[in-house]
Structure formats: C-alpha cells, structure tokens
Amino acid sequence: MKTKTIISKFVILSFSIVIISLVIMSSNYYEIYSGKKYGKDIISRLEQYRHSHGIYPIKLDSIDLPENQETSEVMFHGYSYIYYFMSDCEFSLSFNKKDGTWTYYSNANKWYEGDGIDSINAFRSKLYSQYLLESCNNKERTILRIKVERKERDSVLSCNNIESGSVVYVIKKYENAGFAGKGYALYDSGTKVLKQIGTWTLFTKAGLSFLAFYGSGTTNKPVIDYLQNKINL
C-alpha cells in the first residue's frame, strides 16, 4: 500500500512537471510569436516608407515610432525593438524577451534567433558573390563622378588613413539595368583610374543592397561583414 502511494505521488509529481513545462514553453512560444507579429507591423511601415522614398528611413522616428535617445529602443505593444539602418535597401530589426533575442534581416526576409550575425554575414557573402558575377556579366559603367569639396575630401581621406589624393563621389549602373554601386573613390587624373575607398553601397540586379568597406590597401578587397556594434565602417 505504501509503495502504491509513493508511486502515485511520483506519477502526480511527474505529470505536474510536464504540465508546468508545457505552460512555460507555450508562454515562450506566444511571446516569440507576438514579438514577430508586432515586428511585422513595423516592417510593413518600413516597406511603405521605402516605396514612397526609395530607401529605408535612417531612424524609426520617420515612421512615427519615436526612439529612446539613450538606448535607440522603440517600445511597441510592450516589446522593445531596435532598428538598424544598414544601407539604402537593407535593415535589421531586433526584439528582446526573457527567452532571448530575435533579429529580422530585410534582404533575407527572415527572423533569426539571437543577433543573427553569422546568418546575415553568410547571406551578404552570397549577395556579394552574386554582385561580382552580375557586374562582370553586365559591365558596370560610371554614370556620375562628382569631385567633392575640400572639407569632405579631407574627412574621407582622414577616415580611411590616406594622406592625400583626389576624392570623387561615384555612382555606377549596370549596363541596361539599375544601380550597381555608389561611394567614394580616389581618382588618378594621369591614368584615369578610380579606386574605391571607404563605405560603398552595392546593388545586385534585383535591387538588393548591402554595405562593403574598401580599405586603402593594394588589394582593395572589401569587408562585407555585418557588425553587431553598429559602427560606421
């Protein structure tokens, strides 16, 4: 009799633990579901803004969602969201809850658990490979080359640890297609060669954009990694 009582208590305890676990899991799932649902409302506003202005807004203030000046967070339906403008047609949106962080990346049109850095970097690498292939096959051409003012030139040179040079702002397009890239370049008037420097916005033929940083080294190979600390590359 005593053994049966112990077994019964054990079964009840085990059942209670299972029920509590299911309730907790259900609660976490609902929080994640709601965070993505309300995030979708923000994403919809961002897409409407891009449709009207051609690019995403720098801050959520532009879509009537005031950001906290100290933390850059936006409270929306009880969730804290952080928006990061990455390039003209690229952004990330994150929200935090007790179970962790979820991050949406616009180019992938997908939510990632955590900060999503590895997944975003992998996606950007694919975009860059696609860009290289398309720019090779479609012959990029410079449609605009603007010589910048002295103050702007000095700032660009300083930011890129370059002592001197002629700096121009360049816009490139694909042959018979849309924008291919835009950013600063060093211009050699003797050879007529342009060397990309600093932060560039690159575009695939489908219009997906991403940032690339061209250093001042001889290889001029760009860095395209998404950085969590949100510094200006």
Side-chain angles (χ1 to χ4, degrees), residues 6 9 16 21 26 29 39 77 91 96 107 174 180 192 194 201:
I6 293 174
K9 288 182 177 180
S16 298
S21 298
S26 176
Y29 174 80
H77 292 279
F91 72 86
N96 296 301
N107 276 340
Y174 292 114
K192 309 296 183 184
L194 290 168
T201 302

Side-chain angles (χ1 to χ4, degrees), residues 31-55:
E31 284 194 344
I32 294 170
Y33 168 79
S34 297
K36 291 181 180 180
K37 175 186 174 183
Y38 297 129
K40 189 176 180 180
D41 292 341
I42 298 176
I43 293 166
S44 178
R45 293 195 197 184
L46 289 167
E47 294 298 343
Q48 289 174 12
Y49 184 96
R50 181 189 173 190
H51 180 74
S52 299
H53 298 81
I55 64 172

Side-chain angles (χ1 to χ4, degrees), residues 96-195:
N96 296 301
K97 272 296 180 181
K98 57 188 176 185
D99 66 309
T101 302
W102 285 82
T103 301
Y104 174 85
Y105 177 49
S106 59
N107 276 340
N109 190 24
K110 184 177 179 181
W111 288 94
Y112 297 103
E113 188 172 3
D115 54 35
I117 288 179
D118 291 340
S119 298
I120 291 174
N121 284 343
F123 197 93
R124 282 169 143 240
S125 293
K126 290 181 180 178
L127 286 180
Y128 182 64
S129 297
Q130 184 178 341
Y131 161 78
L132 289 178
L133 180 62
E134 291 175 347
S135 62
C136 179
N137 292 339
N138 293 275
K139 297 179 182 179
E140 282 184 3
R141 60 190 181 90
T142 299
I143 62 166
L144 186 63
R145 187 175 69 231
I146 307 171
K147 190 171 182 178
V148 301
E149 297 295 328
R150 181 175 179 178
K151 186 177 180 180
E152 185 178 356
R153 179 204 68 190
D154 291 345
S155 175
V156 172
L157 292 175
S158 175
C159 288
N160 290 281
N161 297 315
I162 300 172
E163 292 185 3
S164 62
S166 178
V167 177
V168 293
Y169 188 79
V170 178
I171 296 178
K172 293 185 175 184
K173 291 191 74 172
Y174 292 114
E175 193 174 63
N176 302 319
F179 289 107
K182 58 182 181 177
Y184 292 104
L186 289 177
Y187 178 63
D188 188 322
S189 57
T191 61
K192 309 296 183 184
V193 171
L194 290 168
K195 181 182 178 183

Side-chain angles (χ1 to χ4, degrees), residues 160-162 186 195-198 213-220:
N160 290 281
N161 297 315
I162 300 172
L186 289 177
K195 181 182 178 183
Q196 292 164 285
I197 57 171
F213 176 74
Y214 290 86
S216 57
T218 54
T219 59
N220 207 213

